[in-house]
Amino acid sequence: MTAEMTTPDVTGREAEDLANAGLSVDGAELREVLEHYYEKGWTDGLPVVPVTESYLQEFLARTPRDPDDVLFEVPHLNRALTVRLAAINAGLAGCLPAYFPVVVAAWDAIAQEPHPRRGIWQSTTGTAPLTVVNGPIREEIGLNSAGNVFGSGFRANATIGRAIRLALINVFGLVPHQLDQATQGTPAKYTACIAEWEEESPWEPLHVEQGLDASDSAVTAFVVRSVVHIEARHTSDPDQLARDFADTVARTGALIHEYTNALLVLTPEHAQVFASAGWSKDDVRRAVFGHAVRTRAELKAVGKDAISHNARWRLPADHPDAMPDTASGTDDPDHVHALGRPSSVQVMVAGANNAGVSAVVEVFGLAPERTPRERPCSVSRIERR
């Protein structure tokens, strides 16, 4: 790195330090190692951290799990991820060893998800893993739950999410244009890991809702399709705000299957709009469910007024594989719910407390006819040695 490559606000001694940062190592040898990793296809397109056996042992020392324990497997690919392989990819991603228990818990949570084993990570939709972290470990390792929570700038967030992606590439072979068939993909395919800002939430945090103790550190896993920001700086009326979220949840472009699912990531400001009116999380869920409705005519206009016999994907009523959707057999067939039930919506708090900007994270979840699980989400307690 040269002084000319530094940012404009780095001057004087700071610029000199940056310019000299690489002088104690052989830059040519380092580049040779990095190029070797590229040639082997062991990266996501960005440089990775070389992992030696001694460095690997620092990761393995942080978990009580045996290195040969299988964390996740995909039967149709005949491939499995062990603790050791997860540690290698965490090191490659730039994780510190202290982050590794979060990575292990993330894989435990992913293994509970009903979709990934069936090839969802290979989908043309371009799905990606989203990891949400709760509990004391957030502060211990510096996970961001506030401003720019979906963005850059925080090593723990960036590298924990990236550790999952690199393992999908290096262990399961999910390489773009090969086993990864995403049509366009999503930035979440690089990394997607956030923490909940529990201290700014008026409600119990996500992991406590799912039966864990507030003192537990935990990871909840989601299969994310997209993150849509909601600009709502104009109102302090909770019903108006719920309608704003519902409009995004029920947008026709999101209606792939008969029903959709959503994770509402509320900024503290929006959470307080609801809480100040006496709303609980369940009240938010019920309101969004009730308002997330499209008319039959609106669905017909975009060719989504029926569903497939086989896949239950939305398609035109005159399609050869079409059958009436569930709403067609109700007392009000001309109004179609985008969500199967209120529990199709999960709610958490994250983001800066400086503006009315929240997010609807479009996620895959269980259809209403599926037997409910013990918990609505896939959560795993973080264990450390």
Side-chain angles (χ1 to χ4, degrees):
M1 180 179 288
T2 65
E4 289 74 24
M5 294 173 63
T6 61
T7 53
D9 61 334
V10 179
T11 59
R13 181 55 185 269
E14 290 179 340
E16 183 180 344
D17 288 344
L18 284 169
N20 293 329
L23 295 183
S24 60
V25 299
D26 188 317
E29 289 184 358
L30 179 59
R31 287 193 298 274
E32 184 178 346
V33 172
L34 294 179
E35 291 302 326
H36 175 71
Y37 279 69
Y38 278 121
E39 290 169 6
K40 290 291 187 180
W42 295 337
T43 86
D44 51 8
L46 296 172
V48 293
V49 177
V51 178
T52 61
E53 184 63 34
S54 60
Y55 190 42
L56 174 62
Q57 293 305 315
E58 293 184 40
F59 286 82
L60 296 176
R62 297 292 184 134
T63 176
R65 306 286 285 274
D66 187 275
D68 292 327
D69 282 354
V70 173
L71 295 173
F72 182 67
E73 54 189 334
V74 180
H76 73 272
L77 295 178
N78 195 29
R79 300 184 186 189
L81 176 80
T82 63
V83 172
R84 178 182 175 85
L85 290 172
I88 292 171
N89 283 280
L92 291 172
C95 288
L96 292 175
Y99 305 170
F100 188 54
V102 182
V103 174
V104 172
W107 281 112
D108 282 338
I110 289 170
Q112 300 172 38
E113 266 284 333
H115 303 289
R117 293 182 192 276
R118 300 201 298 267
I120 194 68
W121 302 137
Q122 299 172 253
S123 170
T124 54
T125 304
T127 54
L130 169 64
T131 298
V132 177
V133 184
N134 281 97
I137 201 167
R138 297 167 303 135
E139 297 296 323
E140 294 173 23
I141 65 174
L143 276 161
N144 181 33
S145 61
N148 206 38
V149 70
F150 285 107
S152 60
F154 295 86
R155 182 175 183 176
N157 298 64
T159 61
I160 290 171
R162 191 187 184 203
I164 305 300
R165 170 55 51 191
L166 286 176
L168 290 176
I169 293 170
N170 294 327
V171 178
F172 297 104
L174 302 191
V175 177
H177 302 184
Q178 297 178 32
L179 291 182
D180 184 343
Q181 289 294 301
T183 303
Q184 291 188 322
T186 164
K189 278 182 170 283
Y190 276 107
T191 180
C193 174
I194 64 175
E196 181 166 14
W197 199 356
E198 299 174 18
E199 295 76 12
E200 286 292 317
S201 174
W203 307 299
E204 62 184 10
L206 191 62
H207 70 310
V208 174
E209 277 192 285
Q210 298 173 81
L212 301 185
D213 294 332
S215 59
D216 288 331
S217 290
V219 171
T220 305
F222 294 93
V223 178
V224 57
R225 291 163 52 200
S226 65
V227 178
V228 186
H229 287 165
I230 309 301
E231 294 273 353
R233 310 166 191 248
H234 62 289
T235 184
S236 58
D237 183 309
D239 191 65
Q240 289 181 350
L241 186 56
R243 287 175 182 270
D244 233 3
F245 284 104
D247 182 69
T248 295
V249 170
R251 66 185 182 89
T252 60
L255 302 182
I256 300 176
H257 296 98
E258 182 170 18
Y259 297 113
T260 188
N261 290 261
L263 168 66
L264 306 187
V265 181
L266 304 181
T267 53
E269 180 178 319
H270 283 160
Q272 285 300 330
V273 168
F274 291 124
S276 296
W279 286 31
S280 66
K281 280 189 180 183
D282 280 340
D283 292 326
V284 175
R285 291 186 179 100
R286 284 191 290 267
V288 171
F289 169 78
H291 293 315
V293 175
R294 302 307 297 243
T295 67
R296 181 70 59 188
E298 289 171 330
L299 293 177
K300 184 176 181 179
V302 296
K304 292 185 174 181
D305 51 325
I307 58 173
S308 163
H309 276 94
N310 297 316
R312 299 187 73 82
W313 287 62
R314 285 206 165 272
L315 39 66
D318 59 0
H319 190 281
D321 187 42
M323 61 178 283
D325 60 23
T326 303
S328 297
T330 67
D331 294 336
D332 187 8
D334 292 330
H335 291 85
V336 181
H337 280 278
L339 297 159
R341 53 194 172 196
S343 61
S344 299
V345 180
Q346 298 304 316
V347 181
M348 61 173 287
V349 175
N353 194 11
N354 61 4
V357 181
S358 291
V360 170
V361 182
E362 296 171 337
V363 297
F364 277 96
L366 289 175
E369 66 270 15
R370 296 288 297 276
T371 302
R373 292 180 290 177
E374 179 183 354
R375 298 186 177 115
C377 301
S378 300
V379 62
S380 177
R381 185 181 288 105
I382 295 171
E383 299 176 338
R384 289 180 281 182
R385 177 181 290 172

